[in-house]
PDB file of all heavy atoms in Angstrom:
ATOM      1  N   LYS A   1       0.830  -1.215   0.000  1.00  0.00           N
ATOM      2  CA  LYS A   1       0.000   0.000   0.000  1.00  0.00           C
ATOM      3  C   LYS A   1       0.858   1.256   0.000  1.00  0.00           C
ATOM      4  O   LYS A   1       0.415   2.316  -0.400  1.00  0.00           O
ATOM      5  CB  LYS A   1      -0.934   0.004   1.207  1.00  0.00           C
ATOM      6  CG  LYS A   1      -2.003  -1.055   1.108  1.00  0.00           C
ATOM      7  CD  LYS A   1      -2.966  -0.989   2.262  1.00  0.00           C
ATOM      8  CE  LYS A   1      -3.992  -2.096   2.066  1.00  0.00           C
ATOM      9  NZ  LYS A   1      -5.060  -2.050   3.030  1.00  0.00           N
ATOM     10  N   LYS A   2       2.079   1.135   0.489  1.00  0.00           N
ATOM     11  CA  LYS A   2       3.054   2.218   0.430  1.00  0.00           C
ATOM     12  C   LYS A   2       4.340   1.618  -0.121  1.00  0.00           C
ATOM     13  O   LYS A   2       4.465   0.399  -0.249  1.00  0.00           O
ATOM     14  CB  LYS A   2       3.266   2.836   1.813  1.00  0.00           C
ATOM     15  CG  LYS A   2       3.744   1.845   2.857  1.00  0.00           C
ATOM     16  CD  LYS A   2       3.861   2.479   4.218  1.00  0.00           C
ATOM     17  CE  LYS A   2       4.386   1.448   5.211  1.00  0.00           C
ATOM     18  NZ  LYS A   2       4.550   1.982   6.542  1.00  0.00           N
ATOM     19  N   GLU A   3       5.296   2.471  -0.453  1.00  0.00           N
ATOM     20  CA  GLU A   3       6.538   1.981  -1.038  1.00  0.00           C
ATOM     21  C   GLU A   3       7.399   1.243  -0.013  1.00  0.00           C
ATOM     22  O   GLU A   3       7.592   1.723   1.097  1.00  0.00           O
ATOM     23  CB  GLU A   3       7.354   3.139  -1.614  1.00  0.00           C
ATOM     24  CG  GLU A   3       6.819   3.649  -2.912  1.00  0.00           C
ATOM     25  CD  GLU A   3       7.735   4.682  -3.549  1.00  0.00           C
ATOM     26  OE1 GLU A   3       8.659   5.192  -2.881  1.00  0.00           O
ATOM     27  OE2 GLU A   3       7.508   4.973  -4.733  1.00  0.00           O
ATOM     28  N   ALA A   4       7.890   0.102  -0.408  1.00  0.00           N
ATOM     29  CA  ALA A   4       8.841  -0.656   0.418  1.00  0.00           C
ATOM     30  C   ALA A   4      10.246  -0.253   0.003  1.00  0.00           C
ATOM     31  O   ALA A   4      10.531  -0.085  -1.182  1.00  0.00           O
ATOM     32  CB  ALA A   4       8.637  -2.143   0.213  1.00  0.00           C
ATOM     33  N   LYS A   5      11.128  -0.098   0.987  1.00  0.00           N
ATOM     34  CA  LYS A   5      12.514   0.287   0.699  1.00  0.00           C
ATOM     35  C   LYS A   5      13.526  -0.726   1.202  1.00  0.00           C
ATOM     36  O   LYS A   5      14.632  -0.802   0.694  1.00  0.00           O
ATOM     37  CB  LYS A   5      12.805   1.655   1.312  1.00  0.00           C
ATOM     38  CG  LYS A   5      11.957   2.747   0.699  1.00  0.00           C
ATOM     39  CD  LYS A   5      12.179   4.063   1.386  1.00  0.00           C
ATOM     40  CE  LYS A   5      11.238   5.099   0.785  1.00  0.00           C
ATOM     41  NZ  LYS A   5      11.079   6.272   1.641  1.00  0.00           N
ATOM     42  N   THR A   6      13.146  -1.500   2.243  1.00  0.00           N
ATOM     43  CA  THR A   6      14.056  -2.512   2.776  1.00  0.00           C
ATOM     44  C   THR A   6      13.303  -3.811   3.041  1.00  0.00           C
ATOM     45  O   THR A   6      12.079  -3.823   3.221  1.00  0.00           O
ATOM     46  CB  THR A   6      14.739  -2.062   4.092  1.00  0.00           C
ATOM     47  OG1 THR A   6      13.737  -1.809   5.064  1.00  0.00           O
ATOM     48  CG2 THR A   6      15.602  -0.844   3.888  1.00  0.00           C
ATOM     49  N   PHE A   7      14.064  -4.895   3.068  1.00  0.00           N
ATOM     50  CA  PHE A   7      13.559  -6.238   3.354  1.00  0.00           C
ATOM     51  C   PHE A   7      14.303  -6.740   4.576  1.00  0.00           C
ATOM     52  O   PHE A   7      15.523  -6.577   4.679  1.00  0.00           O
ATOM     53  CB  PHE A   7      13.824  -7.156   2.159  1.00  0.00           C
ATOM     54  CG  PHE A   7      13.524  -8.603   2.405  1.00  0.00           C
ATOM     55  CD1 PHE A   7      12.216  -9.071   2.409  1.00  0.00           C
ATOM     56  CD2 PHE A   7      14.550  -9.509   2.631  1.00  0.00           C
ATOM     57  CE1 PHE A   7      11.939 -10.409   2.629  1.00  0.00           C
ATOM     58  CE2 PHE A   7      14.290 -10.842   2.847  1.00  0.00           C
ATOM     59  CZ  PHE A   7      12.974 -11.296   2.848  1.00  0.00           C
ATOM     60  N   LYS A   8      13.579  -7.348   5.520  1.00  0.00           N
ATOM     61  CA  LYS A   8      14.174  -7.858   6.746  1.00  0.00           C
ATOM     62  C   LYS A   8      13.703  -9.293   6.945  1.00  0.00           C
ATOM     63  O   LYS A   8      12.548  -9.615   6.674  1.00  0.00           O
ATOM     64  CB  LYS A   8      13.720  -6.980   7.915  1.00  0.00           C
ATOM     65  CG  LYS A   8      14.439  -7.197   9.198  1.00  0.00           C
ATOM     66  CD  LYS A   8      13.941  -6.149  10.199  1.00  0.00           C
ATOM     67  CE  LYS A   8      14.803  -6.070  11.403  1.00  0.00           C
ATOM     68  NZ  LYS A   8      14.329  -5.044  12.336  1.00  0.00           N
ATOM     69  N   VAL A   9      14.600 -10.156   7.457  1.00  0.00           N
ATOM     70  CA  VAL A   9      14.279 -11.574   7.626  1.00  0.00           C
ATOM     71  C   VAL A   9      14.992 -12.115   8.860  1.00  0.00           C
ATOM     72  O   VAL A   9      16.079 -11.652   9.204  1.00  0.00           O
ATOM     73  CB  VAL A   9      14.661 -12.369   6.352  1.00  0.00           C
ATOM     74  CG1 VAL A   9      16.152 -12.346   6.111  1.00  0.00           C
ATOM     75  CG2 VAL A   9      14.141 -13.787   6.384  1.00  0.00           C
ATOM     76  N   SER A  10      14.369 -13.078   9.525  1.00  0.00           N
ATOM     77  CA  SER A  10      15.000 -13.796  10.635  1.00  0.00           C
ATOM     78  C   SER A  10      15.436 -15.159  10.123  1.00  0.00           C
ATOM     79  O   SER A  10      14.620 -15.924   9.587  1.00  0.00           O
ATOM     80  CB  SER A  10      14.005 -13.955  11.791  1.00  0.00           C
ATOM     81  OG  SER A  10      14.560 -14.773  12.801  1.00  0.00           O
ATOM     82  N   ALA A  11      16.739 -15.464  10.290  1.00  0.00           N
ATOM     83  CA  ALA A  11      17.286 -16.710   9.750  1.00  0.00           C
ATOM     84  C   ALA A  11      18.339 -17.285  10.682  1.00  0.00           C
ATOM     85  O   ALA A  11      18.917 -16.588  11.512  1.00  0.00           O
ATOM     86  CB  ALA A  11      17.905 -16.460   8.374  1.00  0.00           C
ATOM     87  N   SER A  12      18.575 -18.582  10.529  1.00  0.00           N
ATOM     88  CA  SER A  12      19.689 -19.259  11.188  1.00  0.00           C
ATOM     89  C   SER A  12      20.437 -20.024  10.108  1.00  0.00           C
ATOM     90  O   SER A  12      19.826 -20.543   9.176  1.00  0.00           O
ATOM     91  CB  SER A  12      19.187 -20.197  12.293  1.00  0.00           C
ATOM     92  OG  SER A  12      18.471 -21.280  11.750  1.00  0.00           O
ATOM     93  N   ALA A  13      21.765 -20.080  10.225  1.00  0.00           N
ATOM     94  CA  ALA A  13      22.542 -20.681   9.138  1.00  0.00           C
ATOM     95  C   ALA A  13      23.883 -21.198   9.605  1.00  0.00           C
ATOM     96  O   ALA A  13      24.527 -20.594  10.457  1.00  0.00           O
ATOM     97  CB  ALA A  13      22.769 -19.648   8.038  1.00  0.00           C
ATOM     98  N   ILE A  14      24.297 -22.306   9.023  1.00  0.00           N
ATOM     99  CA  ILE A  14      25.674 -22.765   9.158  1.00  0.00           C
ATOM    100  C   ILE A  14      26.434 -22.284   7.922  1.00  0.00           C
ATOM    101  O   ILE A  14      27.422 -21.589   8.017  1.00  0.00           O
ATOM    102  CB  ILE A  14      25.755 -24.296   9.310  1.00  0.00           C
ATOM    103  CG1 ILE A  14      25.124 -24.710  10.645  1.00  0.00           C
ATOM    104  CG2 ILE A  14      27.200 -24.764   9.213  1.00  0.00           C
ATOM    105  CD1 ILE A  14      25.027 -26.192  10.862  1.00  0.00           C
ATOM    106  N   THR A  15      25.933 -22.638   6.741  1.00  0.00           N
ATOM    107  CA  THR A  15      26.564 -22.261   5.476  1.00  0.00           C
ATOM    108  C   THR A  15      26.198 -20.843   5.065  1.00  0.00           C
ATOM    109  O   THR A  15      27.056 -20.047   4.735  1.00  0.00           O
ATOM    110  CB  THR A  15      26.142 -23.237   4.351  1.00  0.00           C
ATOM    111  OG1 THR A  15      26.419 -24.565   4.777  1.00  0.00           O
ATOM    112  CG2 THR A  15      26.865 -22.952   3.062  1.00  0.00           C
ATOM    113  N   GLY A  16      24.912 -20.545   5.046  1.00  0.00           N
ATOM    114  CA  GLY A  16      24.438 -19.253   4.561  1.00  0.00           C
ATOM    115  C   GLY A  16      24.212 -19.280   3.063  1.00  0.00           C
ATOM    116  O   GLY A  16      24.393 -20.303   2.394  1.00  0.00           O
ATOM    117  N   GLY A  17      23.799 -18.156   2.522  1.00  0.00           N
ATOM    118  CA  GLY A  17      23.490 -18.031   1.102  1.00  0.00           C
ATOM    119  C   GLY A  17      22.814 -16.699   0.870  1.00  0.00           C
ATOM    120  O   GLY A  17      23.028 -15.750   1.617  1.00  0.00           O
ATOM    121  N   THR A  18      21.972 -16.632  -0.161  1.00  0.00           N
ATOM    122  CA  THR A  18      21.252 -15.400  -0.460  1.00  0.00           C
ATOM    123  C   THR A  18      19.783 -15.691  -0.742  1.00  0.00           C
ATOM    124  O   THR A  18      19.416 -16.802  -1.110  1.00  0.00           O
ATOM    125  CB  THR A  18      21.844 -14.657  -1.676  1.00  0.00           C
ATOM    126  OG1 THR A  18      21.751 -15.502  -2.820  1.00  0.00           O
ATOM    127  CG2 THR A  18      23.281 -14.245  -1.446  1.00  0.00           C
ATOM    128  N   ILE A  19      18.979 -14.648  -0.564  1.00  0.00           N
ATOM    129  CA  ILE A  19      17.567 -14.690  -0.947  1.00  0.00           C
ATOM    130  C   ILE A  19      17.382 -13.652  -2.044  1.00  0.00           C
ATOM    131  O   ILE A  19      17.595 -12.458  -1.811  1.00  0.00           O
ATOM    132  CB  ILE A  19      16.639 -14.349   0.235  1.00  0.00           C
ATOM    133  CG1 ILE A  19      16.870 -15.287   1.409  1.00  0.00           C
ATOM    134  CG2 ILE A  19      15.176 -14.387  -0.226  1.00  0.00           C
ATOM    135  CD1 ILE A  19      16.124 -14.884   2.676  1.00  0.00           C
ATOM    136  N   GLU A  20      17.021 -14.104  -3.245  1.00  0.00           N
ATOM    137  CA  GLU A  20      16.655 -13.185  -4.319  1.00  0.00           C
ATOM    138  C   GLU A  20      15.164 -12.901  -4.165  1.00  0.00           C
ATOM    139  O   GLU A  20      14.369 -13.823  -4.035  1.00  0.00           O
ATOM    140  CB  GLU A  20      16.910 -13.808  -5.693  1.00  0.00           C
ATOM    141  CG  GLU A  20      18.360 -14.015  -6.019  1.00  0.00           C
ATOM    142  CD  GLU A  20      18.548 -14.572  -7.422  1.00  0.00           C
ATOM    143  OE1 GLU A  20      17.541 -14.898  -8.107  1.00  0.00           O
ATOM    144  OE2 GLU A  20      19.714 -14.700  -7.841  1.00  0.00           O
ATOM    145  N   ILE A  21      14.786 -11.630  -4.186  1.00  0.00           N
ATOM    146  CA  ILE A  21      13.394 -11.230  -4.016  1.00  0.00           C
ATOM    147  C   ILE A  21      12.859 -10.790  -5.371  1.00  0.00           C
ATOM    148  O   ILE A  21      13.315  -9.776  -5.921  1.00  0.00           O
ATOM    149  CB  ILE A  21      13.284 -10.083  -2.988  1.00  0.00           C
ATOM    150  CG1 ILE A  21      13.980 -10.501  -1.688  1.00  0.00           C
ATOM    151  CG2 ILE A  21      11.828  -9.713  -2.750  1.00  0.00           C
ATOM    152  CD1 ILE A  21      14.536  -9.345  -0.901  1.00  0.00           C
ATOM    153  N   HIS A  22      11.918 -11.576  -5.922  1.00  0.00           N
ATOM    154  CA  HIS A  22      11.366 -11.301  -7.251  1.00  0.00           C
ATOM    155  C   HIS A  22       9.897 -10.920  -7.160  1.00  0.00           C
ATOM    156  O   HIS A  22       9.176 -11.401  -6.281  1.00  0.00           O
ATOM    157  CB  HIS A  22      11.482 -12.550  -8.145  1.00  0.00           C
ATOM    158  CG  HIS A  22      12.883 -12.902  -8.504  1.00  0.00           C
ATOM    159  ND1 HIS A  22      13.497 -12.436  -9.645  1.00  0.00           N
ATOM    160  CD2 HIS A  22      13.812 -13.677  -7.881  1.00  0.00           C
ATOM    161  CE1 HIS A  22      14.727 -12.913  -9.714  1.00  0.00           C
ATOM    162  NE2 HIS A  22      14.948 -13.672  -8.647  1.00  0.00           N
ATOM    163  N   LEU A  23       9.453 -10.103  -8.113  1.00  0.00           N
ATOM    164  CA  LEU A  23       8.046  -9.736  -8.203  1.00  0.00           C
ATOM    165  C   LEU A  23       7.314 -10.638  -9.179  1.00  0.00           C
ATOM    166  O   LEU A  23       7.794 -10.883 -10.293  1.00  0.00           O
ATOM    167  CB  LEU A  23       7.894  -8.293  -8.711  1.00  0.00           C
ATOM    168  CG  LEU A  23       7.989  -7.168  -7.698  1.00  0.00           C
ATOM    169  CD1 LEU A  23       7.621  -5.849  -8.368  1.00  0.00           C
ATOM    170  CD2 LEU A  23       7.127  -7.398  -6.484  1.00  0.00           C
ATOM    171  N   ASP A  24       6.171 -11.137  -8.764  1.00  0.00           N
ATOM    172  CA  ASP A  24       5.173 -11.827  -9.579  1.00  0.00           C
ATOM    173  C   ASP A  24       5.530 -13.247 -10.021  1.00  0.00           C
ATOM    174  O   ASP A  24       4.699 -14.127  -9.967  1.00  0.00           O
ATOM    175  CB  ASP A  24       4.746 -10.970 -10.771  1.00  0.00           C
ATOM    176  CG  ASP A  24       4.159  -9.639 -10.303  1.00  0.00           C
ATOM    177  OD1 ASP A  24       3.338  -9.655  -9.358  1.00  0.00           O
ATOM    178  OD2 ASP A  24       4.537  -8.593 -10.844  1.00  0.00           O
ATOM    179  N   THR A  25       6.764 -13.498 -10.469  1.00  0.00           N
ATOM    180  CA  THR A  25       7.161 -14.854 -10.863  1.00  0.00           C
ATOM    181  C   THR A  25       8.599 -15.100 -10.418  1.00  0.00           C
ATOM    182  O   THR A  25       9.325 -14.161 -10.058  1.00  0.00           O
ATOM    183  CB  THR A  25       7.095 -15.065 -12.401  1.00  0.00           C
ATOM    184  OG1 THR A  25       8.102 -14.243 -13.014  1.00  0.00           O
ATOM    185  CG2 THR A  25       5.717 -14.721 -12.969  1.00  0.00           C
ATOM    186  N   LYS A  26       9.016 -16.352 -10.514  1.00  0.00           N
ATOM    187  CA  LYS A  26      10.387 -16.733 -10.141  1.00  0.00           C
ATOM    188  C   LYS A  26      11.427 -15.988 -10.986  1.00  0.00           C
ATOM    189  O   LYS A  26      12.515 -15.700 -10.535  1.00  0.00           O
ATOM    190  CB  LYS A  26      10.539 -18.253 -10.296  1.00  0.00           C
ATOM    191  CG  LYS A  26      11.832 -18.809  -9.774  1.00  0.00           C
ATOM    192  CD  LYS A  26      11.871 -20.318  -9.897  1.00  0.00           C
ATOM    193  CE  LYS A  26      13.239 -20.854  -9.515  1.00  0.00           C
ATOM    194  NZ  LYS A  26      13.389 -22.272  -9.767  1.00  0.00           N
TER     195      LYS A  26
END
């Protein structure tokens, strides 16, 4: 409803990696 500027997530990891955030489809 308003503009988003940042993404926040709670995670636990040994290796780690990345999350790509896409709109509408993969």
Side-chain angles (χ1 to χ4, degrees):
K1 291 183 180 186
K2 59 183 182 179
E3 284 187 347
K5 296 176 184 162
T6 60
F7 172 77
K8 191 175 193 179
V9 64
S10 174
S12 67
I14 293 175
T15 306
T18 61
I19 303 172
E20 292 183 354
I21 306 151
H22 292 268
L23 276 188
D24 301 315
T25 67
K26 188 177 174 187

